[in-house]
Amino acid sequence: DVVLTQTPSILSATIGQSVSISCRSSQSLLDSDGNTYLYWFLQRPGQSPQRLIYLVSNLGSGVPNRFSGSGSGTDFTLKISGVEAEDLGVYYCMQATHAPNTFGAGTKLELK
Amino acid sequence: EVKLQQSGDELVRPGASVKISCKASGYTFTSYSMHWVKQRPGQGLEWIGAIIPIIDTTEYNQKFKGKATLTADKSSNTANMELSRLTSEDSAVYYCARLPDNSRFAYWGQGTLVTVSS
């Protein structure tokens, strides 16, 4: 199975600070169809996850544009340009290029 | 409005089975695959598998073959997951989710807590 390694595991930030989360894959996530099936999710405390980013860099519906995704191949990044209080929680990357779908272990974003 | 309404929390005995349902509304049920995800207390997310309702095709994480069985009832727009031979390792919150590959719109159920205890 593809292993996704997220760093850092815990991220302390102040409101308004810009932060980045890395997701590195054990295999290239570029599919033979030309797509890269890498996604980002946020799970706020006590809530179901929500999908923020699909196909590396596309914003989900209703997701603020302070979130952005980038990367290719095996290295991917989620950036939050100006953390807000509602952004606190655990962030997960997920790949769906190689069966089975796998998630990273998560990055907890907390207030400094 | 798209909604995935899951069945209530379950307390089940070791060795027993449990069936969790996920009723979809607000969209054409057969147009999207339904995924299932496991989350043990305080832990991360684990993909169990998915079903394509229109053709009743399933894909499983090998780890969950023999443990989880996914079905879809097109007459009631409901996806189901049955977990068998339950042990304490199966105690978790289970989510259904509509996670299309290439769409802005993705949805999750509220989660069903399964507690395996005698």
Side-chain angles (χ1 to χ4, degrees), chain A residues 38-39 51 53-60, chain B residues 101-104:
Chain A
L38 188 282
Y39 305 86
R51 195 164 78 178
I53 301 284
Y54 67 100
L55 297 181
V56 179
S57 59
N58 298 280
L59 274 185
Chain B
D101 288 339
N102 188 3
S103 168
R104 297 176 59 221

Side-chain angles (χ1 to χ4, degrees), chain B residues 1-116:
Chain B
E1 179 198 4
V2 172
K3 190 167 185 180
L4 302 178
Q5 183 65 42
Q6 295 186 228
S7 50
D9 295 346
E10 301 269 7
L11 172 62
V12 291
R13 298 282 187 251
S17 298
V18 68
K19 193 171 189 177
I20 302 168
S21 66
C22 171
K23 184 169 178 59
S25 60
Y27 72 98
T28 302
F29 178 64
T30 51
S31 294
Y32 296 88
S33 57
M34 188 71 76
H35 296 250
W36 290 87
V37 174
K38 176 182 180 181
Q39 186 170 39
R40 297 202 69 201
Q43 302 300 309
L45 305 172
E46 199 170 14
W47 186 78
I48 297 170
I51 186 166
I52 305 173
I54 196 168
I55 52 175
D56 270 330
T57 295
T58 52
E59 181 181 3
Y60 291 95
N61 183 335
Q62 184 70 28
K63 178 179 178 180
F64 290 94
K65 281 189 175 179
K67 170 62 66 178
T69 302
L70 306 183
T71 57
D73 182 347
K74 292 184 279 291
S75 67
S76 64
N77 294 339
T78 301
N80 302 293
M81 177 174 67
E82 183 169 13
L83 300 169
S84 60
R85 299 183 304 278
L86 292 165
T87 73
S88 59
E89 296 295 302
D90 300 315
S91 292
V93 175
Y94 293 87
Y95 295 100
C96 61
R98 194 188 99 174
L99 300 174
D101 288 339
N102 188 3
S103 168
R104 297 176 59 221
F105 302 98
Y107 301 91
W108 291 70
Q110 82 276 22
T112 297
L113 174 63
V114 174
T115 303
V116 182

Side-chain angles (χ1 to χ4, degrees), chain A residues 18-57:
Chain A
S18 292
V19 297
S20 293
I21 299 169
S22 170
C23 176
R24 289 191 166 174
S25 173
S26 60
Q27 300 179 37
S28 174
L29 299 183
L30 176 62
D31 193 78
S32 56
D33 66 6
N35 287 320
T36 299
Y37 295 95
L38 188 282
Y39 305 86
W40 289 95
F41 297 84
L42 164 61
Q43 186 173 32
R44 297 186 177 96
Q47 295 187 18
S48 302
Q50 68 169 107
R51 195 164 78 178
L52 302 174
I53 301 284
Y54 67 100
L55 297 181
V56 179
S57 59

Side-chain angles (χ1 to χ4, degrees), chain A residues 14-111:
Chain A
T14 57
I15 299 300
Q17 182 180 354
S18 292
V19 297
S20 293
I21 299 169
S22 170
C23 176
R24 289 191 166 174
S25 173
S26 60
Q27 300 179 37
S28 174
L29 299 183
L30 176 62
D31 193 78
S32 56
D33 66 6
N35 287 320
T36 299
Y37 295 95
L38 188 282
Y39 305 86
W40 289 95
F41 297 84
L42 164 61
Q43 186 173 32
R44 297 186 177 96
Q47 295 187 18
S48 302
Q50 68 169 107
R51 195 164 78 178
L52 302 174
I53 301 284
Y54 67 100
L55 297 181
V56 179
S57 59
N58 298 280
L59 274 185
S61 175
V63 176
N65 60 13
R66 63 179 178 275
F67 289 94
S68 61
S70 63
S72 64
T74 59
D75 288 346
F76 303 91
T77 301
L78 176 71
K79 182 177 181 179
I80 310 172
S81 299
V83 169
E84 298 193 6
E86 64 180 19
D87 300 338
L88 304 182
V90 182
Y91 290 80
Y92 296 95
C93 56
M94 186 198 86
Q95 68 81 26
T97 298
H98 303 284
N101 295 0
T102 51
F103 289 91
T107 295
K108 184 177 183 180
L109 177 60
E110 59 184 27
L111 274 181

